[in-house]
Amino acid sequence: MKDINDLNLPEDLKYTKDHEWVKLSDGIVTIGINDYAQDQLGEIVFVELPETGDTFEKDDEFGSVESVKAVSEIYMPVAGEITEINEGLEDAPELVNESCYDDGWIIKVKPDDISQFEALLDKGAYIDMLKS
Amino acid sequence: MRLAVFQDLGVLEYKKALELQTKTLQAKIDQTIDEDYIFFVEHPSVFTLGRRGGKENLTVSQKFLAEKNIDVIQTNRGGNITYHCPGQAVMYPIIDLEKNKIGVKDFVYGLEEIMKLTANDHGIDAGRNKKNHGIWAGNSKIGSVGISVKKGISMHGIALNINPDLEPFSWINPCGLADISITSIEKETNKTKSVGKNYEFDMDRIKNAFIKHFSYIFDYIIR
């Protein structure tokens, strides 16, 4: 696994204890898995996505990523409705490894309560959690 | 220090072992139990499918399997279709990978390593193969791996063929791969007589090898 100091963790994102990243833009949050997660999972061969219009509570499982021979569940950082899914991952799941913050994004969500986003970890708090 | 409780379930139906794994994992999520668990088991004959399926890799009819009284069970693990039966050593580690800072990729690699070392203990030159994950003796697969991870905790695990009847593997494309053959410790040792003519397959010996190698590879005290 990468050393904590070698992880790419952009300053302008929020993070979760389940190693996801979350970005807020125009009232919609974009969600993916971060550099720590993609590195420790290994080569991702399949991403199981929800459907647009599905609604979830915070911490619900909304899909999974399959790295070779291992299926790992992924969870909602905030409650809300899925407004968009990254359909490009169907044919190119490796984008999650190659570009986890850009082309490898997973879902977009209209949050029920924006304060759930505000309460997520910033980079410093996330790194502290990794070190603990 | 990493600690795990080891339980030998003997011969147990797949569904019952799955239920035990699910309950144990949920109890760890709910923090009603703290210890990691490792279950060792043999299953009566059963085919299991990965989260993404694998039914298309059954090469015999459902009717044929019903006549043989063999179930096909959907699971949430990684990988494709596989077969379990008596004579196959199965290990299910319910391990808090997150807490123990073990990466998923490293965990799968380590589980494969346990099967490789156990085969090596029997004088078999087993290792990895570009065709697929798992452990191979030459071009034949001898051991399989498939896990799932929920809230950072693993379930499912590994299956190493010791001395099973290998015929039912010919009723599937194992792991979704056509044109591969399946082997066992018994079949390989018969080729080389590397452990002597009178070697008797003893699951306790395999169990102890799994415990020893798991403990060494993942730095666990197992009780």
Side-chain angles (χ1 to χ4, degrees):
Chain A
M1 287 205 294
K2 281 186 186 178
D3 188 87
I4 290 178
N5 296 320
D6 295 334
L7 292 172
N8 172 18
L9 299 166
E11 297 279 355
D12 61 338
L13 302 176
K14 293 277 198 181
Y15 298 93
T16 72
K17 60 180 176 18
D18 297 313
H19 315 292
E20 286 149 8
W21 60 264
V22 189
K23 183 179 186 173
L24 177 64
S25 178
D26 298 330
I28 297 292
V29 295
T30 305
I31 296 160
I33 66 168
N34 71 19
D35 191 31
Y36 175 90
Q38 72 78 22
D39 176 60
Q40 64 97 13
L41 287 171
E43 185 190 340
I44 288 163
V45 297
F46 186 74
V47 182
E48 183 187 19
L49 296 162
E51 288 183 15
T52 303
D54 286 352
T55 59
F56 295 94
E57 293 301 315
K58 177 175 159 59
D59 296 328
D60 278 357
E61 176 202 344
F62 70 83
S64 66
V65 288
E66 183 167 354
S67 46
V68 180
K69 300 292 183 184
V71 172
S72 301
E73 296 183 350
I74 39 182
Y75 304 97
M76 291 292 278
V78 294
E81 179 184 338
I82 309 288
T83 58
E84 203 178 334
I85 56 173
N86 186 352
E87 288 172 353
L89 299 180
E90 199 173 316
D91 293 327
E94 67 275 12
L95 288 173
V96 177
N97 293 116
E98 292 164 3
S99 173
C100 66
Y101 300 115
D102 295 304
D103 295 342
W105 66 275
I106 297 176
I107 53 169
K108 294 188 181 187
V109 173
K110 185 174 190 328
D112 292 343
D113 178 358
I114 210 75
S115 71
Q116 286 183 341
F117 170 81
E118 302 296 342
L120 297 172
L121 304 172
D122 62 18
K123 178 182 175 176
Y126 176 70
I127 288 176
D128 287 346
M129 188 207 79
L130 285 183
K131 285 179 178 168
S132 69
Chain B
M1 185 55 70
R2 294 170 174 169
L3 287 169
V5 177
F6 191 94
Q7 279 187 3
D8 184 350
L9 306 177
V11 177
L12 186 68
E13 274 175 43
Y14 185 87
K15 277 183 180 167
K16 288 187 176 160
L18 182 62
E19 197 179 295
L20 178 62
Q21 291 184 74
T22 307
K23 272 188 186 165
T24 306
L25 187 147
Q26 190 58 47
K28 285 180 69 59
I29 290 174
D30 297 340
Q31 298 182 329
T32 56
I33 58 170
D34 188 42
E35 301 96 337
D36 287 336
Y37 274 79
I38 302 170
F39 298 118
F40 183 84
V41 66
E42 286 175 80
H43 294 307
S45 294
V46 64
F47 289 98
T48 66
L49 308 173
R51 180 142 170 166
R52 281 194 284 147
K55 224 168 206 171
E56 68 284 3
N57 285 308
L58 260 177
T59 57
V60 293
S61 68
Q62 299 272 3
K63 183 165 169 273
F64 175 83
L65 294 181
E67 281 165 7
K68 301 266 181 194
N69 207 16
I70 303 179
D71 285 343
V72 180
I73 297 175
Q74 178 67 51
T75 79
N76 64 343
R77 62 165 170 75
N80 202 285
I81 192 166
T82 197
Y83 176 66
H84 300 297
C85 60
Q88 185 189 60
V90 173
M91 184 166 68
Y92 297 131
I94 316 297
I95 299 290
D96 194 333
L97 302 176
E98 180 74 30
K99 182 174 141 193
N100 290 296
K101 304 217 182 293
I102 302 170
V104 169
K105 174 179 63 179
D106 296 341
F107 189 60
V108 170
Y109 189 91
L111 291 177
E112 289 176 336
E113 199 66 14
I114 291 167
M115 295 191 286
K116 175 178 179 284
L117 294 175
T118 303
N120 293 161
D121 291 343
H122 290 78
I124 298 166
D125 182 18
R128 293 180 172 76
N129 188 307
K130 274 183 285 185
K131 283 184 184 175
N132 197 242
H133 273 249
I135 292 298
W136 301 67
N139 278 319
S140 300
K141 198 167 190 190
I142 195 165
S144 298
V145 61
I147 67 165
S148 68
V149 181
K150 191 180 177 82
K151 288 284 173 189
I153 302 167
S154 70
M155 64 181 279
H156 300 287
I158 55 174
L160 180 66
N161 296 327
I162 311 304
N163 60 345
D165 171 12
L166 293 173
E167 196 204 337
F169 282 104
S170 67
W171 304 340
I172 57 174
N173 296 322
C175 312
L177 302 172
D179 306 324
I180 66 162
S181 62
I182 297 291
T183 191
S184 65
I185 298 238
E186 179 184 51
K187 191 171 170 185
E188 294 302 310
T189 52
N190 281 344
K191 279 183 198 167
T192 60
K193 300 289 182 205
S194 56
V195 293
K197 278 183 192 167
N198 298 320
Y199 180 77
E200 284 192 19
F201 291 93
D202 176 356
M203 271 296 170
D204 278 344
R205 194 184 297 190
I206 303 295
K207 179 172 80 177
N208 290 331
F210 276 14
I211 293 171
K212 181 179 81 177
H213 298 314
F214 190 103
S215 173
Y216 170 74
I217 289 166
F218 296 117
D219 194 21
Y220 263 76
I221 290 178
I222 296 170
R223 62 177 170 83

